[in-house]
Every structure is written in C-alpha cells, then in structure tokens.
Amino acid sequence: SSSPLHHSVHTPLRPPFPMKLLAATLLLFLLSSTPSLAAESKLQIGVLKRPESCPRKVAKGDGVAVQYEGKLLDGTTFDSSYKRNQAFRFKVGAGSVIKGWDQGLLGMCVGEVRKLTIPSHLAYGDRGSPPTIPPGATLKFKIELEEIDGFKLEL
C-alpha cells in the first residue's frame, strides 16, 4: 500500500522552472539597477599625477613617506599633512593605517599623486573617529608619495 507520505518522497514538490527564472531575472535587475551599492563598497583609486619614470613601486612591507589631505564626501577636510608641513611615515601592509591606505598605495611610484575614495568598511567603519569622522563615513584622500624606504625622486 502506498501512503501519501511515501509517495511524496519519490516525487518531491519543486517550484516550476519559470519561478526560478523569474527569481534570477529579478535578482539581476536589482543588482544592475543599484550600481551605487557596488561602487560604494569598493576602494576607488584614481591617478592625479604620474611620474615620468618609476624605478621602484610600493610593495607590502615598504616604509613610505606621504603628504595627504583627507576629506569627507561633503568636502570637509578632516586631516592634512600639508597643514603640518611634515610628511607622514608608515609601513605599508602592517595595519598601522586604515585598510584603504594599505591597499590603495600598493604599486604607487615616488612622485605619484593618487585620489583614493575609501568606503567605510576599509576606513573607520561604524565607529567612525569622533569628533571629525562620523560613523559609516566614506573618505576621500589625495595622497602624494614622497619616499619609499629612503628612495626619493631626485629633483
């Protein structure tokens, strides 16, 4: 004798194929119609000035000296090494700066100027850095590489 329970084991109920197609189409539509979500979650790197020659590029573990200006998306400057007239020194990839810097300086040449747009999760996250950087802030930096482990551009 065949019980309903036993019967359903052999022929499991599945949603009809068009339902899957509809779900996939809807998902693609949602993803394609919200490009800002994808763009805002990635580090964006723009080159503002590229030197004529680049005998040495930044690699993980390099000590670097940079001049920088940091701004919020509304244009408010929250930090600037230019105002202090002193380069900021740190080791790339050591976790001593925000992740967006550790990633955004890789491959950079001495004399190069980059514009980094750093999403919150690669900056200060949901905590922010009170009082100057609000929680969840995307940050923009203009960074000029002056030196890599003692290697400077001879002017």
Side-chain angles (χ1 to χ4, degrees), residues 98-99 120-137:
I98 58 175
K99 286 180 184 160
S120 173
H121 72 279
L122 295 176
Y124 295 97
D126 293 336
R127 290 187 325 271
S129 183
T132 51
I133 300 170

Side-chain angles (χ1 to χ4, degrees), residues 68-79:
Y68 70 92
E69 181 175 57
K71 293 184 175 194
L72 301 175
L73 287 180
D74 69 5
T76 305
T77 300
F78 61 82
D79 193 10

Side-chain angles (χ1 to χ4, degrees), residues 77-90:
T77 300
F78 61 82
D79 193 10
S80 173
S81 66
Y82 294 104
K83 288 180 182 171
R84 291 188 293 277
N85 204 18
Q86 185 176 358
F88 176 68
R89 296 177 179 277
F90 70 99

Side-chain angles (χ1 to χ4, degrees), residues 56-117:
R56 175 97 158 71
K57 291 184 176 187
V58 172
K60 188 175 179 180
D62 283 342
V64 297
V66 300
Q67 291 281 4
Y68 70 92
E69 181 175 57
K71 293 184 175 194
L72 301 175
L73 287 180
D74 69 5
T76 305
T77 300
F78 61 82
D79 193 10
S80 173
S81 66
Y82 294 104
K83 288 180 182 171
R84 291 188 293 277
N85 204 18
Q86 185 176 358
F88 176 68
R89 296 177 179 277
F90 70 99
K91 192 174 284 290
V92 175
S96 59
V97 293
I98 58 175
K99 286 180 184 160
W101 271 37
D102 273 341
Q103 295 172 19
L105 270 70
L106 293 174
M108 199 169 177
C109 305
V110 173
E112 185 175 332
V113 181
R114 285 187 178 178
K115 180 180 101 176
L116 303 181
T117 302

Side-chain angles (χ1 to χ4, degrees), residues 46-62:
V47 177
L48 300 176
K49 180 184 164 212
R50 197 181 301 274
E52 285 182 25
S53 69
C54 185
R56 175 97 158 71
K57 291 184 176 187
V58 172
K60 188 175 179 180
D62 283 342

